Amino acid sequence: MKIKIEEFIEKTGLKEPLYPGKRMVQTCAVGPFKSHCIVYDWRDPDQLIIEIKAGTSGHALPFKELKNYPVSFQADTHVIIEISNREEEEGEGAKGKAGGSGKRAPKEKKSLTGFMQVAEGKIPDAGQIVEMVVMGKEIAMEAFGQVFEALANQIEKLKISPTDLLAKASNLITKYTPPAFMEAKGDEQATYNYDRDKIGPMFGISPS
């Protein structure tokens, strides 16, 4: 799904300038175990990452603090937007018409181009959502539009509700990615054998 970054910024009411090479944190609701923030990470000029995190620092909280927050803020919620390079796309199109390879420029060249554009006051205005995860669940591409629109509306109000975002995805969830502290341990398919002689006395049952 392609988006216009400038229009997204206007929609959300983001006051501070956002551009490649920058990382900024926007604080939302503040209060005991309900504080959360939006992290805009554009340090890689080729992609903009938007994350929802518990707390107001923009950094991952230690588990002893994180466990006090609602599960909706404990689990991972983020969007990755790949930045389009309009000049590069036009160049590739010309090469394709002339019989060239049409291959994308190396990442190093793209990054250099991105920084040069910022230096010249040119901010990339187009991007494409390539990954979206809400509460640890990877969202199907078909639901990108409705979920991202809901996210923009929530950012505008400075109050994020991951559960509502997930509801927008309806039944288009493709897979579940549990956070590290919920990762399964051992063999979940192992067969359990009940030993009456060992377990019975624990519940006041005498061995037969």
Side-chain angles (χ1 to χ4, degrees), residues 49-158:
I49 302 175
I50 302 174
E51 294 182 273
I52 308 303
K53 289 186 173 293
T56 57
S57 68
H59 298 291
L61 297 177
F63 178 65
K64 64 180 180 180
E65 294 181 32
L66 186 62
K67 68 180 181 180
N68 295 312
Y69 285 80
V71 175
S72 58
F73 290 127
Q74 291 184 32
D76 177 32
T77 296
H78 72 262
V79 178
I80 298 179
I81 302 170
E82 187 176 85
I83 306 304
S84 300
N85 187 322
R86 192 173 288 173
E87 293 180 2
E88 179 183 283
E89 289 176 352
E90 291 175 355
E92 288 174 5
K95 285 182 180 179
K97 291 178 182 178
S101 64
K103 293 182 179 179
R104 296 183 63 180
K107 185 177 178 64
E108 292 78 6
K109 184 176 180 180
K110 284 192 67 181
S111 298
L112 179 60
T113 301
F115 283 122
M116 287 176 64
Q117 287 179 329
V118 174
E120 295 173 359
K122 299 177 182 178
I123 306 300
D125 62 352
Q128 182 167 328
I129 298 176
V130 295
E131 181 176 300
M132 183 180 291
V133 173
V134 177
M135 289 178 61
K137 294 177 172 60
E138 186 173 332
I139 304 303
M141 188 180 298
E142 293 82 357
F144 281 1
Q146 56 194 15
V147 176
F148 193 72
E149 181 181 6
L151 175 62
N153 291 332
Q154 291 184 7
I155 291 177
E156 183 182 16
K157 298 174 183 177
L158 293 180

Side-chain angles (χ1 to χ4, degrees), residues 14-26:
L14 191 63
K15 305 298 183 183
E16 190 175 341
L18 180 62
Y19 48 81
K22 186 172 185 177
R23 180 184 186 276
M24 60 177 291
V25 178
Q26 185 177 30

Side-chain angles (χ1 to χ4, degrees), residues 4-19:
K4 293 184 178 180
I5 298 174
E6 188 174 351
E7 290 184 4
F8 166 70
I9 292 175
E10 291 179 356
K11 164 65 180 174
T12 58
L14 191 63
K15 305 298 183 183
E16 190 175 341
L18 180 62
Y19 48 81

